[in-house]
Amino acid sequence: MRWAVLVGGTGSNLKALLESGFGVDLVVSHRSGVGALAVAEAAHIPTVVLKGGDFSSRQDYDRALCEVLADAAIERVAMAGFLRWLTPHVVTQYRGRLMNIHPSLLPAFPGLHAIEQAFQAGVMWTGVTIHLVDEGHDTGPILAQCPVPRLLDDTIESLTERIHQAEHRLYPKILSLMDDGDLEYQEGHIDWKGGHTSWAHGHS
Ligand code: GRF
């Protein structure tokens, strides 16, 4: 199965995927000069930069994105730090095959700065969610979650660090299940072919 990862940040999730042995065929970034591109280049993965400012509308951007994905014969797409809302043009084309990782237990704290939102709200538990992307904002079907406690002496930095560690464990596991065909989304249903294991929810 050919995978693209959509990025725009430091690339720690991309790095974790590659270190787990997960095969990535293309990396698309919405920003130039980011760490994620350096991670891809170090692993000799083809990269494409599509900057929002180079397109006159979100529709134009997403059409170009679909062309780039089609040219590379991409079958599955994983978002990791790609900070753009995708239009229905992309979502429809890749429905059930387009994943995102979000640093909170959705539906709590959607959108930007989710870790800070949770920290400020004083919750005792937050975590990580992997979900399919739909037309909404962080609203698609949830595939897996991993809870992370907010410890009494946590700072925003220490909580952020533990959330990233959870992301780096969970994303490779879930994407590998999809890659192996053991986890599929069809006609509105999530099909766990190998059974619904506890580790798939983040417990190692
Ligand atoms: C991660 O926290 C992810 O949950 C969010 O963006 C961040 C990307 O980090 N969607 P990185 O670029 O993978 O380090």
Side-chain angles (χ1 to χ4, degrees):
M1 211 171 272
R2 286 182 63 78
W3 284 83
V5 179
L6 308 187
V7 300
T10 61
S12 66
N13 280 286
L14 175 62
K15 189 159 180 275
L17 283 168
L18 296 172
E19 284 175 357
S20 77
F22 189 81
V24 177
D25 302 286
L26 177 69
V27 168
V28 181
S29 177
H30 69 94
R31 285 195 282 196
S32 54
V34 291
L37 286 169
V39 170
E41 280 154 19
H44 307 290
I45 297 165
T47 60
V48 174
V49 177
L50 293 176
K51 288 194 258 182
D54 293 342
F55 296 86
S56 55
S57 67
R58 288 176 59 220
Q59 284 72 16
D60 281 355
Y61 185 100
D62 282 5
R63 263 192 290 274
L65 175 59
C66 281
E67 275 172 30
V68 162
L69 297 174
D71 286 349
I74 295 301
E75 300 165 278
R76 296 279 190 283
V77 181
M79 296 169 70
F82 187 81
L83 300 181
R84 289 182 61 89
W85 300 119
L86 296 171
T87 61
H89 184 69
V90 185
V91 173
T92 306
Q93 204 154 320
Y94 284 92
R95 191 175 307 282
R97 303 185 291 134
L98 172 59
M99 274 65 65
N100 183 41
I101 186 160
H102 184 81
S104 76
L105 294 177
L106 290 172
F109 310 117
L112 291 174
H113 310 302
I115 303 174
E116 288 85 343
Q117 288 185 54
F119 190 82
Q120 300 301 345
V123 296
M124 292 185 177
W125 288 92
T126 180
V128 172
T129 301
I130 295 168
H131 65 96
L132 292 163
V133 176
D134 68 4
E135 285 80 356
H137 290 175
D138 297 328
T139 53
I142 290 172
L143 295 175
Q145 290 187 308
C146 177
V148 174
R150 178 213 168 120
L151 305 177
L152 285 178
D153 59 353
D154 255 342
T155 59
I156 185 72
E157 289 78 19
S158 59
L159 179 60
T160 298
E161 175 62 25
R162 285 208 316 292
I163 287 190
H164 286 321
Q165 286 170 4
E167 289 187 326
H168 302 162
R169 286 196 304 273
L170 193 59
Y171 218 9
K173 286 178 182 170
I174 296 303
L175 295 191
S176 294
L177 282 175
M178 289 206 123
D179 193 50
D180 293 343
D182 289 335
L183 170 56
E184 272 186 7
Y185 180 78
Q186 294 205 356
E187 294 164 14
H189 295 287
I190 295 169
D191 186 2
W192 292 84
K193 300 195 173 167
H196 212 176
T197 59
S198 64
W199 61 261
H201 284 78
H203 303 290
S204 28

